Amino acid sequence: MTNATITGWGKALPPSVLTNSDLEKIMDTSDEWITSRSGIKERRISHVETSDMATIAGFRALAAAGLEPSDIDLIIVATCSPDTLIPSAAAYVQAKLGATNAAAVDLNAACSGFIYSLVFGANMIRGGTNRRVLVIGAEKLHSYIDFTDRSTSVLFGDGAGAVVLEPTEGDEGLLSSELGMDGESAEFLCIPGFGTVGDRVPDLPSEVGVQMDGQEVFRRAVTMMGDSSVRVVEEAGLDFEDVDILIPHQANQRIIDATARRIKLASDQVFMNIHAYGNTSAATIPIALTEALEQGRIRPGANIVFAAFGGGLSW
Ligand code: COA
């Protein structure tokens, strides 16, 4: 049976760094508080739009796969911070890449968006609709951040990562997956004032900004990422000893540590780069995957588990 496998990867991080000590100067916080609660030391702030970062990551993933933009027949951009609502970020990316043969669509599942997109893209290949799919996670979250709210603003950053999916008849590729949503708990993590609920006025309403119950989100993230990882590993017919690396959504070091403990993974089986970028929502996993490959942490044939949790509440 035809499966879909990752053949290229790339990332794009804006050069501007916002450190915890920078934040100390504009709000009542400390490097010690942010580091001990989240593991974050610094994050990137983009001077260009989401689609610009997505395009650079996309070019790099295509280069890694040895493909031209015209080889791609579907682009999925996982984002909750598109440049505009219409056109989609994916439409801009298609134009900037010159991927003239590609259909293009945005997917919003907040921090789980990359995994949703990976599964959707893989199934388009498995079903025979598409052959080469570019899946990108890209966010310019600082546009939503209310820098007077210290409880959320210290956690997020900007960036993009991408993978190319291609068909394979071998035994590699996407082995199993689980996607889920608990829409009834959406209030625990949301940006409530943006969309048709808002007034049609040029000034953004004050509800535009991340609202979050940190402890509720924390508890649910550990449970859902852990339990869902157990189910997909089982479904793939594997044990956790067979898992070479867990690449979790990078929201909080303590969430990742607690998830790893829940499923009894050793620290060298878990990839973490949250200290450098903070939470870039749908972009964390493709950025982390790219860095794990750059660091030689992933060898051909490795078994990788991706796990994410975020607004929706999605996992
Ligand atoms: N600097 C200093 N103090 C801060 C602060 C900051 N940036 N943000 C909040 N505080 C204060 C609070 O006001 C509170 O003070 P009080 O006790 O005087 O009221 C205190 O720190 C403790 O806040 P609390 O919310 O209990 O901290 P916590 O240990 O739960 O950690 C989070 C807060 C947000 C780091 C943590 O709950 C978390 O990471 N949750 C998951 C969030 C997440 O990852 N969301 C995205 C998922 S995709």
Side-chain angles (χ1 to χ4, degrees):
M1 192 190 94
T2 301
N3 198 357
T5 191
I6 294 173
T7 59
W9 46 85
K11 62 177 180 176
L13 278 316
S16 297
V17 176
L18 182 68
T19 66
N20 291 350
S21 61
D22 294 331
L23 290 172
E24 285 174 354
K25 296 183 186 106
I26 58 169
M27 66 180 73
D28 180 16
T29 191
S30 65
D31 174 49
E32 194 282 325
W33 192 95
I34 301 170
T35 306
S36 63
R37 302 295 170 115
S38 71
I40 300 166
K41 299 298 283 185
E42 56 189 44
R43 68 288 292 145
R44 301 297 176 91
I45 300 293
S46 182
H47 60 295
V48 295
E49 298 310 327
T50 298
S51 68
D52 296 307
M53 293 184 281
T55 302
I56 303 290
F59 270 126
R60 289 178 176 161
L62 287 170
L67 295 178
E68 298 296 330
S70 58
D71 295 325
I72 295 296
D73 56 17
L74 175 63
I75 299 168
I76 307 177
V77 178
T79 187
C80 56
S81 51
D83 313 24
T84 55
L85 283 180
I86 297 177
S88 61
Y92 291 114
V93 171
Q94 192 246 18
K96 289 172 186 171
L97 283 173
T100 45
N101 298 318
V105 64
D106 283 4
L107 186 150
N108 176 1
C111 299
S112 309
F114 177 78
I115 297 184
Y116 266 73
S117 301
L118 190 76
V119 173
F120 285 15
N123 283 330
M124 293 299 273
I125 289 174
R126 288 165 162 178
T129 309
N130 293 97
R131 283 197 61 77
R132 293 189 175 116
V133 181
L134 182 60
V135 179
I136 305 176
E139 305 279 12
K140 185 180 177 181
L141 293 175
H142 92 261
S143 302
Y144 292 143
I145 299 298
D146 172 1
F147 281 97
T148 64
D149 176 7
R150 65 179 183 170
S151 66
T152 56
S153 59
V154 303
L155 301 174
F156 297 97
D158 304 337
V163 300
V164 173
L165 296 176
E166 292 189 76
T168 176
E169 303 301 326
D171 56 7
E172 76 277 19
L174 183 66
L175 302 179
S176 60
S177 62
E178 176 186 287
L179 304 175
M181 181 69 79
D182 175 14
E184 291 193 355
S185 304
E187 79 216 56
F188 293 124
L189 175 53
C190 51
I191 302 176
F194 192 68
T196 60
V197 296
D199 285 335
R200 198 165 154 271
V201 290
D203 294 329
L204 289 176
S206 58
E207 296 81 19
V208 177
V210 179
Q211 292 186 13
M212 182 172 73
D213 181 330
Q215 290 178 4
E216 275 294 336
V217 173
F218 190 110
R219 197 171 54 74
R220 287 158 194 254
V222 172
T223 309
M224 294 318 304
M225 291 208 297
D227 293 359
S228 173
S229 297
V230 168
R231 288 192 289 268
V232 294
V233 168
E234 261 175 30
E235 193 191 322
L238 300 172
D239 292 318
F240 273 97
E241 297 89 76
D242 305 318
V243 172
D244 294 281
I245 195 159
L246 170 73
I247 301 191
H249 170 49
Q250 310 280 312
N252 183 312
Q253 182 173 341
R254 290 186 300 143
I255 292 178
I256 296 172
D257 288 341
T259 304
R261 275 198 304 277
R262 190 176 175 91
I263 55 182
K264 299 186 178 60
L265 280 186
S267 57
D268 65 351
Q269 286 174 289
V270 181
F271 189 83
M272 199 129 47
N273 62 1
I274 185 159
H275 59 282
Y277 309 124
N279 181 350
T280 58
S281 190
T284 65
I285 289 179
I287 294 171
L289 172 68
T290 300
E291 296 199 340
L293 282 152
E294 287 168 352
Q295 294 168 20
R297 299 267 311 263
I298 299 175
R299 299 276 162 206
N303 289 316
I304 308 169
V305 178
F306 298 124
F309 186 83
L313 298 171
S314 60
W315 72 88

